[in-house]
Amino acid sequence: MSRDEVDRALARLGAEHEAIETSLLALQDHAGRRLLEGAELTGVTKDRWATAEQRITVLWAHFEAYSAALEAARELRARRRWLSQEDLATLTDMLRGNGVTVSGGAAVGGLTKLSEQLSLEALVDRMNGLYAHALDVIVSADSVWTALPARIDLLAAELRRTRSLAHSVGVRPGEHPSGDDLEQITDELTRLRAEVLTDPLAFWVPAADASAAPGGGRPDTERYDRAARALEDVRREIEAVLAVRQDAERRLMLVRDLLSRADRTLTEARAARGEVLAKIAASEVPAVSGPSAALHEQLATAAEYRRRAQWHLLSPLLESLEERAEEELLRARESLTAVTAPLAVRAELRGRLDAYKAKTARHGLAEDPLLIERYDIARRMLWSAPCDLRAAEHAVLRYQQAAAEALAAGQPDRKGES
C-alpha cells in the first residue's frame, strides 16, 4: 500500500469504528434490551435471548480487538511523516492481512476454535452479523411488548365494563351462554398477557423476505383479535338484552294484542262455521281450532321474567313469542277465510243474480215469464236454508243463459225502432 492508500484505509476504518461504537452503545441502552435483561423469560424468547447475550459478549470482545488493532496501526502511522517501505509493508499487513486475533469463537455459531486470525474487514463483517442477530431479537421482542400488552389492557378494561353491564341485566356464568363466554374471554386474556410478557418472541412473525432488516416482521395478534371478536359478539348480545329491558313492556303489549286478535278471529271463525253449517248444505267446512294454550303460557312466563328483571331469559323468549304470535294471527285469519268461503260464494251468486235482473229490467224484459220463473227458482235456492250451493249456482247460470238469449232476441227490434 502507498502512504495515501494507508491514510485512506485508516480514515475509512476509523469511520467504521465510530459507527460500530455508536451502534453498540445504542444497543446497550436499548429499552428492549433492558426489558429482556429484567424479565423472567420462558420458551422461545429465553433460548434466543440467551444466545443473543452470548453474541453481544463476543461482539464487545471483537470490538475491543478491532479497536486495539486500529489504534496500533494509527500509532505506527503517526511515528513519522514519511513512511519507509518496511513501515508500509507492516501497515499493509496490519490493515489488510489476517493479523487480528480474536477469542471466544466457540460462542459464535458453534465454532470450535478458541481463537481466530481475522483481517479488519472480516472482523467488521463478523461484528455486523453478531450485531444484526442481537438487534433482531431485541427489536422483535420490544415490538411485541410495545404492541400487545397495551392492547390487551385496553381490551381487558372493555371486558370489565361489559362484565359489569352483563351482571346488571342478569347475564352471569352458568345462567346465560354470554356469561360463560365472558369467563372464557377473561381467562384467555389473562393467559395471553402472561405469555406475551414472558415469551414475546412466540408472538412474532418474521418478515417473509430473508434479507429484511433486523426486527423485520410483525406481532402475531391472532389470539388477541379472536378474543376481541368474541367480546364484541357478547357486547352485542348484552346490548340486545338491554334493549329488551328498555322496551319489554311495549313488546309484551304487542304480543298480547296479536294473540288477542288471533283469539277473536278464531272465535269469529267458530261462529261463522256454525252459521255455514246451518245455512249451507252439502259443503265441507274445515274445523276451527281453539286458542294456542302454549303461547298464552309462554306469554305469562315472559311477564314473570319481566317482573323479576330476568332480562337475559326474557330476550330470547320475546323474540320467539313475537314471531309465533304473528304466525298465530295469520293462521286464525286463514281459518276464518276457509270457513266463510261458502258464504262468500253464496253472496257472489246473489249479487250476480240481482245484477242480471237489473240488466233485464233496463231492457224492458222484467215481465218475461221465463225469466221470472228462472229468477224465482234461483232466488228461492239462494235465500233458503240450508242452501245447496251447487244447485243454486246451476239455477243462476240457467237464469243468466235465459237473460242472455232474451237480450239477444230483443236487440234487432230496438235497432229497427231507432
Side-chain angles (χ1 to χ4, degrees):
M1 298 175 67
S2 66
R3 185 186 66 177
D4 290 342
E5 289 175 331
V6 167
D7 289 342
R8 286 196 297 271
L10 286 173
R12 176 178 55 80
L13 292 170
E16 288 181 348
H17 179 273
E18 183 177 351
I20 293 171
E21 184 178 32
T22 300
S23 297
L24 286 176
L25 293 174
L27 186 68
Q28 194 75 15
D29 293 334
H30 197 289
R33 172 176 177 156
R34 293 197 296 271
L35 289 172
L36 284 166
E37 289 177 335
E40 295 183 5
L41 302 176
T42 60
V44 176
T45 307
K46 181 179 181 180
D47 295 340
R48 289 191 62 188
W49 176 237
T51 302
E53 280 191 307
Q54 293 176 354
R55 296 194 178 196
I56 291 173
T57 300
V58 173
L59 178 57
W60 276 106
H62 283 23
F63 179 69
E64 290 174 359
Y66 179 86
S67 301
L70 179 60
E71 184 62 26
R74 282 173 171 172
E75 289 179 356
L76 177 59
R77 174 64 184 89
R79 287 177 185 175
R80 56 179 60 88
R81 181 176 181 183
W82 302 104
L83 297 172
S84 66
Q85 289 299 316
E86 183 180 353
D87 292 336
L88 289 173
T90 301
L91 283 169
T92 299
D93 185 61
M94 294 175 69
L95 297 177
R96 291 184 175 176
N98 297 328
V100 183
T101 301
V102 294
S103 60
V108 184
L111 298 175
T112 58
K113 296 180 180 179
L114 296 179
S115 64
E116 293 181 89
Q117 295 293 120
L118 300 173
S119 67
L120 289 175
E121 182 177 355
L123 189 57
V124 169
D125 290 340
R126 171 72 62 76
M127 287 190 291
N128 284 338
L130 293 170
Y131 174 81
H133 176 272
L135 184 63
D136 183 67
V137 172
I138 292 171
V139 171
S140 299
D142 187 54
S143 297
V144 173
W145 277 333
T146 301
L148 274 176
R151 296 173 68 180
I152 293 172
D153 290 343
L154 289 174
L155 189 61
E158 177 64 23
L159 175 61
R160 287 191 294 272
R161 289 191 293 270
T162 304
R163 283 169 62 94
S164 176
L165 188 60
H167 190 273
S168 69
V169 296
V171 176
R172 299 179 179 87
E175 299 180 8
H176 192 280
S178 293
D180 298 332
D181 292 342
L182 286 174
E183 286 297 301
Q184 294 174 5
I185 297 170
T186 300
D187 293 342
E188 170 63 5
L189 287 184
T190 301
R191 289 194 303 270
L192 179 60
R193 194 179 195 282
E195 292 173 19
V196 167
L197 291 179
T198 59
D199 192 9
L201 294 182
F203 298 88
W204 182 253
V205 180
D209 186 0
S211 63
R218 60 175 178 81
D220 182 0
T221 62
E222 181 180 352
R223 285 176 61 184
Y224 167 85
D225 294 337
R226 189 163 57 244
R229 289 193 298 269
L231 181 58
E232 178 62 19
D233 292 340
V234 172
R235 189 184 62 79
R236 284 197 295 266
E237 177 67 22
I238 302 303
E239 288 179 350
V241 173
L242 277 173
V244 170
R245 183 175 69 175
Q246 295 167 358
D247 208 20
E249 182 58 27
R250 183 191 64 82
R251 293 174 66 185
L252 281 172
M253 290 180 63
L254 177 61
V255 172
R256 289 193 191 96
D257 179 63
L258 289 172
L259 291 181
S260 177
R261 289 160 59 190
D263 291 348
R264 291 196 302 269
T265 304
L266 289 174
T267 300
E268 184 180 351
R270 285 193 295 273
R273 185 173 187 274
E275 180 182 357
V276 169
L277 291 175
K279 295 182 177 181
I280 307 297
S283 179
E284 296 181 358
V285 184
V288 179
S289 63
S292 173
L295 286 180
H296 284 278
E297 289 175 1
Q298 290 179 4
L299 180 60
T301 302
E304 184 65 14
Y305 285 160
R306 180 184 178 279
R307 188 182 67 80
R308 296 182 179 180
Q310 294 177 307
W311 311 112
H312 62 293
L313 298 177
L314 178 58
S315 177
L317 181 57
L318 256 182
E319 291 181 4
S320 173
L321 271 174
E322 287 169 337
E323 181 178 353
R324 294 184 61 192
E326 291 181 355
E327 293 174 353
E328 178 69 5
L329 179 57
L330 179 61
R331 182 182 69 85
R333 288 172 173 170
E334 290 174 347
S335 182
L336 178 60
T337 300
V339 165
T340 57
L343 293 177
V345 172
R346 187 185 67 173
E348 190 274 332
L349 291 173
R350 286 178 173 180
R352 197 193 314 171
L353 180 65
D354 289 342
Y356 268 89
K357 181 183 179 183
K359 184 175 181 181
T360 57
R362 287 196 305 272
H363 289 79
L365 299 174
E367 303 301 327
D368 187 297
L370 180 60
L371 292 180
I372 292 174
E373 178 187 355
R374 291 192 177 181
Y375 174 81
D376 289 339
I377 293 172
R379 191 178 190 286
R380 280 196 304 271
M381 289 184 177
L382 287 172
W383 267 267
S384 63
C387 172
D388 186 337
L389 283 179
R390 292 187 179 88
E393 183 177 12
H394 181 67
V396 171
L397 287 174
R398 292 183 67 215
Y399 175 74
Q400 287 180 240
Q401 292 171 356
E405 292 172 358
L407 290 171
Q411 194 69 20
D413 294 340
R414 283 193 292 276
K415 286 185 177 179
E417 292 173 358
S418 62

